[in-house]
Amino acid sequence: MSAPATPDIPRRRAVIIGGGLAAMLTARVLSEVTDVLLIERDVLPEGPESRTGLPQARHTHLLWSGGADAIEGLLPGTAKELDAVDAHRIPLTTGMVALSPQGWYRRWAESHYAITCSRDLLDWVIRQRVLREAGNRITVMERTSVVGLTGTSAMVTGVTIRREDTGEEDTLLADLVVDASGRASRTPQWLATLGVQAPAVREVDSGLVYASRLYQAPDELPADWPIINVQANPRGDGPGQGGVITLLEGGRWLVTLHGTRGGQPTKDADDFPRFARKLRHPIIAELINKATPLSPVSVTHMTANRRHFYEKATLPDNLLVIGDALASYNPTYGHGMSVAAQGAVILRETIQGYGWGSPDLARRVQKAIAKPVSTAWTFATGTDVFYAGATDTGPTVGERLAAAFVDRLSYTATGSGPIARALTDVMTLRLGPARLARLGVLTRAVVGPVKPALGEPPLTSEERAAVGL
């Protein structure tokens, strides 16, 4: 006997705007409790290939251990899949050679790690895992744009979409709308249409320009080749200039150089090694001189730090803003992906604690994810805010105090293992800023470094021999 007919009632569902890493991890969580419609204006590649909506993928990205652990919790086995496709797990601080404004860091015993690989590869691995495990609970609508929110100032009920191939518009109802559309988010304008005041915004724009190029690393490179990081000095004479070398799959290096107003790199391939030579130490120039260029130089100006304080705004119910749509950072600190992953974990924990569909669910999540956002924001703006023209009014009192404290810790970390580990605890987003307020940390910061400053980069004899230095 056939089942009786049921009324045509729309199934409960969530709509996610965007198809990047933050959107996919959020979709993974929501697919555990409801159907998910993921709205993406581009066509998502079938393999580890670049896509139009992610031009920043050509530049250096790091996945800190705090973010990698969060992803592993959401998608167990991801670390093994990344290892199988030649991503690299870099121990910290053993696997990093870094020149801070206060001097060279020593390579202290391993306590954390970072994952390095191309952004296209990382996104592809995670996208495949999410869609495979969620089955038909996630539907991806490609070549489709969201053009507005539906509902009232009290409650969002869905979105209005436009299909790019036909130009047709439609309305999709939803129990939750998540904006994961990135830096180009239009949520502030959509809120204004609903009669909702947009949240306060803080922008710190040092005028930083990124220039990146792929190289084939020298032959016989040690398998545990370190990250090379020459940081800019915001309090030095002239513009801030720095650079990073990270190891990608296939034995390649991704080299990213950056400079602020008056000292920005260009897309000129001949200028690339000259710019590297002008950094505070010539190690990056010396290393790329031993490597083979594989690509032209890619340049981006999209490096401003911008934070929307949605957690302090009076938003309509059923609306959540995450990822770069919430806060975007200077990419040199590599926090964006890790914050997105931790935000997805917070979403899952909040749903488990209060229940899917519970009152004020989106507001609870919005407030909770402000914690990792604030940590990343402090690191990103603590340096950038001191460059000329970064803000209209200059650093706030709070930013000056925070920067002075971090400067002292960074100086102490050049010669103190415990302080280096404490800073790494927070930098990798394993722990929150309260880690740095412990009595032992404060006491050591007052004392300062217990080992003398290093005069040269702390490369091992094997590393020096491999690249002929």
Side-chain angles (χ1 to χ4, degrees), residues 93-157:
T93 55
T94 313
M96 180 176 286
V97 174
L99 176 61
S100 76
Q102 294 78 26
W104 290 103
Y105 289 125
R106 283 175 166 80
R107 298 167 71 175
W108 304 101
E110 177 181 353
S111 58
H112 298 291
Y113 66 96
I115 301 294
T116 66
C117 63
S118 67
R119 179 63 187 271
D120 297 332
L121 179 68
L122 179 65
D123 278 10
W124 175 71
V125 168
I126 291 175
R127 182 166 63 245
Q128 294 304 302
R129 286 291 310 276
V130 168
L131 297 179
R132 183 170 68 243
E133 295 188 10
N136 61 7
R137 295 190 300 277
I138 297 177
T139 300
V140 180
M141 298 182 64
E142 298 176 310
R143 293 186 55 78
T144 304
S145 296
V146 173
V147 295
L149 301 172
T150 61
T152 67
S153 60
M155 178 179 293
V156 168
T157 58

Side-chain angles (χ1 to χ4, degrees), residues 39-41 143-147 160-164:
I39 313 299
E40 170 57 49
R41 65 180 181 181
R143 293 186 55 78
T144 304
S145 296
V146 173
V147 295
T160 301
I161 62 168
R162 180 178 60 240
R163 294 175 174 83
E164 298 299 334

Side-chain angles (χ1 to χ4, degrees), residues 310-325:
Y310 285 106
E311 73 277 8
K312 298 181 179 180
T314 303
L315 298 180
D317 288 339
N318 303 336
L319 175 65
L320 176 64
V321 185
I322 63 170
D324 283 0

Side-chain angles (χ1 to χ4, degrees), residues 101 204-211 230-243 256-266 271 275 278-280 299-305 330-333 380-391:
V204 178
D205 183 2
S206 64
L208 193 73
V209 169
Y210 266 55
V230 176
Q231 298 175 10
N233 184 359
R235 295 171 183 80
D237 295 330
Q241 296 176 323
T256 294
L257 306 177
H258 50 84
T260 59
R261 294 180 182 90
Q264 300 162 326
T266 70
D271 186 52
F275 187 96
K278 294 187 295 182
L279 302 184
R280 296 172 54 228
V299 172
T300 184
H301 298 256
M302 298 176 60
T303 62
N305 305 279
N330 177 344
T332 192
Y333 298 97
T381 61
T383 295
D384 287 5
V385 75
F386 289 96
Y387 288 114
T391 64

Side-chain angles (χ1 to χ4, degrees), residues 334-349:
H335 280 134
M337 294 186 295
S338 294
V339 171
Q342 292 191 342
V345 171
I346 289 170
L347 173 62
R348 172 189 268 179
E349 293 173 346

